[in-house]
Amino acid sequence: MTQNELVMDLTSFCRELPKVELHAHLGGSLSQSTMLQLKRLYADSGIPDKTNAFFDEFQIAAGDTRSLSDCFQVFSIAHSLTSMPQALALATSLTLEEFQNDGCVYIELRSTPRETPYMSKKEYIDTIVQAIRRSSINLTIISKLIISIDRRSTSQSAEETTDLAIEFYQNYPEVVVGIELSGDPTAGQFKDFVPALTRAREAGMKITLHCGEICNPAEILEMLAWKPDRIGHGTMIHPRLGGTTETWEALCQLKIPVEICLTSNVNTKLIANYEAHQFKECCEAMVPVIICTDDKGVFATSLSQEYQICAETFGLDQSQVARLALDASQHIFDDDARKLVTDKILNFIECKEL
Ligand code: 5GP
């Protein structure tokens, strides 16, 4: 087999492998084709989408010179294209379909409820929930929603989002599974969101926190000690990457599953290159890792591509790659779907005799 055939082989394997996506922001997951359809919808409705910016500006490639905070500006492009309920519903269904076409069998899509000139925060959540419910008729991918709290928001706004999240979790437990903290990591303080997050947890919701995107050992320790169900990124926890012995030991001891986003971390320069990622150290320390895309539109990637990059960077064979997907399925928030998804991956492993 030539090197090219081998690469092709791994590409189709990663594509075919039943995968779970546990860290995907709706606003950052919009593909070029989805954005074009959204632009058309705005044009047809006679409503300007308030942005002339397009895909070149939306995407953040490896050599991008924008700072981490600048990177957060790109989401305003996605927000301008999802301000109307019809557009938000279309963005949701097209994105779920794209994940399915990439071999993803289960997704926990996340999004930050926002008030726009065309909908309230409540209508924002309801639009996504109903789009997910409708998608379960046409699509085979099992889709859930995690409601995001933006670190830039006030405590009052976070409390309001939490009230809505709990309400939707109680009314649609088959769709809404959790709540998360994200947004510009240089803004806000974790401790200000603890009361809201604690209420969500007490109501039965699962919690995931963006953690370790910037060098802030004190906050990382607070977050880990609070014992979220999962953390996102977890980049600057290992001392080699800006963490401390204490932060790394806390993660190794608590073994909180880490949603890792390789291309996102390289393109936003959280790490110098793929080889520098903490993936290997996490595996050696038996800290569960889950391969995720973060923002597949912004970083021009896909879940199968992230699996392939991981396999190539860390020299994994097909059996090890398949077991990454299997291990990831253990950390999904929906208890009912977990066994179904795990069985699907196990069946694939058996059929491929891995
Ligand atoms: P949305 O919540 O509007 O559907 O998706 C976009 C939002 O997700 C951004 O405005 C930002 O708050 C959050 N987000 C997307 N990618 C990242 C990331 O890599 N790190 C953090 N901390 N937040 C992100």
Side-chain angles (χ1 to χ4, degrees):
M1 231 184 211
T2 65
Q3 187 59 31
N4 253 355
E5 281 167 331
L6 273 172
V7 170
M8 270 307 291
D9 208 31
L10 182 62
T11 306
S12 11
F13 178 81
C14 291
R15 163 71 193 71
E16 216 186 306
L17 173 68
K19 298 171 288 295
V20 305
E21 172 62 81
L22 302 186
H23 187 130
H25 300 268
L26 175 61
S29 297
L30 306 185
S31 65
Q32 186 159 13
S33 115
T34 296
M35 288 175 93
L36 278 168
Q37 292 201 51
L38 293 172
K39 270 194 167 288
R40 213 168 298 134
L41 181 71
Y42 274 84
D44 291 348
S45 316
I47 296 172
D49 60 56
K50 284 200 193 143
T51 178
N52 292 319
F54 207 49
F55 223 66
D56 289 350
E57 231 175 283
F58 187 59
Q59 285 195 333
I60 299 171
D64 205 288
T65 50
R66 285 174 280 192
S67 71
L68 185 64
S69 287
D70 288 343
C71 290
F72 283 89
Q73 302 306 320
V74 303
F75 297 110
S76 63
I77 301 173
H79 291 166
S80 147
L81 290 169
T82 51
S83 61
M84 294 193 298
Q86 313 90 289
L88 181 62
L90 182 64
T92 305
S93 58
L94 291 175
T95 302
L96 296 179
E97 195 177 341
E98 285 169 355
F99 273 103
Q100 174 176 299
N101 293 343
D102 186 41
C104 184
V105 293
Y106 175 92
I107 182 168
E108 286 170 11
L109 193 65
R110 52 184 75 188
S111 195
T112 324
R114 18 174 254 284
E115 192 180 315
T116 77
Y118 310 101
M119 60 186 154
S120 64
K121 265 189 181 184
K122 186 170 182 169
E123 285 163 335
Y124 184 98
I125 303 177
D126 193 51
T127 300
I128 299 184
V129 167
Q130 302 313 333
I132 289 179
R133 293 179 81 215
R134 280 194 302 277
S135 80
S136 69
I137 302 167
N138 316 321
L139 302 177
T140 53
I141 185 170
I142 302 172
S143 309
K144 308 289 171 190
L145 177 65
I146 293 177
I147 294 173
S148 307
I149 294 179
D150 190 326
R151 291 182 65 114
R152 285 161 294 193
S153 57
T154 60
S155 307
Q156 192 196 337
S157 163
E159 292 291 346
E160 196 185 298
T161 301
T162 304
D163 287 342
L164 291 169
I166 294 172
E167 183 184 329
F168 277 90
Y169 169 69
Q170 285 165 347
N171 291 339
Y172 298 99
E174 75 287 5
V175 178
V176 178
V177 291
I179 198 160
E180 68 116 18
L181 183 65
S182 59
D184 187 344
T186 61
Q189 293 194 329
F190 169 63
K191 67 174 170 49
D192 295 335
F193 300 102
V194 167
L197 293 166
T198 303
R199 270 197 316 115
R201 176 143 83 181
E202 284 168 2
M205 299 184 81
K206 294 280 173 40
I207 317 282
T208 173
L209 304 175
H210 276 63
C211 175
E213 287 176 284
I214 56 168
C215 184
N216 187 350
E219 186 175 83
I220 292 170
L221 285 174
E222 277 171 44
M223 284 183 164
L224 295 177
W226 192 75
K227 298 197 183 98
D229 298 285
R230 300 194 306 247
I231 58 167
H233 299 285
T235 317
M236 300 200 185
I237 295 183
H238 194 280
R240 183 174 61 76
L241 294 166
T244 62
T245 311
E246 233 185 328
T247 52
W248 179 244
E249 279 176 359
L251 180 65
C252 292
Q253 195 202 336
L254 294 162
K255 300 212 179 339
I256 297 171
V258 186
E259 303 151 357
I260 66 169
C261 311
L262 291 159
T263 300
S264 162
N265 291 171
V266 170
N267 290 15
T268 55
K269 298 187 278 303
L270 258 59
I271 51 169
N273 49 48
Y274 290 115
E275 289 74 19
H277 197 274
Q278 78 275 19
F279 172 85
K280 215 168 164 194
E281 281 109 343
C282 283
C283 293
E284 280 164 7
M286 294 202 294
V287 172
V289 289
I290 304 144
I291 309 281
C292 302
T293 54
D294 199 13
D295 299 291
K296 74 176 180 60
V298 172
F299 302 118
T301 190
S302 66
L303 190 54
S304 50
Q305 191 171 311
E306 292 302 297
Y307 270 80
Q308 179 170 349
I309 289 168
C310 187
E312 286 169 349
T313 307
F314 300 103
L316 310 181
D317 62 25
Q318 292 190 349
S319 165
Q320 290 168 313
V321 175
R323 271 159 187 86
L324 275 182
L326 184 64
D327 293 346
S329 71
Q330 304 310 300
H331 306 293
I332 68 180
F333 282 168
D334 188 276
D335 294 333
D336 296 334
R338 190 173 307 118
K339 188 174 178 326
L340 212 80
V341 174
T342 304
D343 286 350
K344 215 174 244 184
I345 303 172
L346 275 173
N347 191 36
F348 175 89
I349 291 176
E350 225 175 86
C351 287
K352 294 278 177 193
E353 298 177 11
L354 292 168

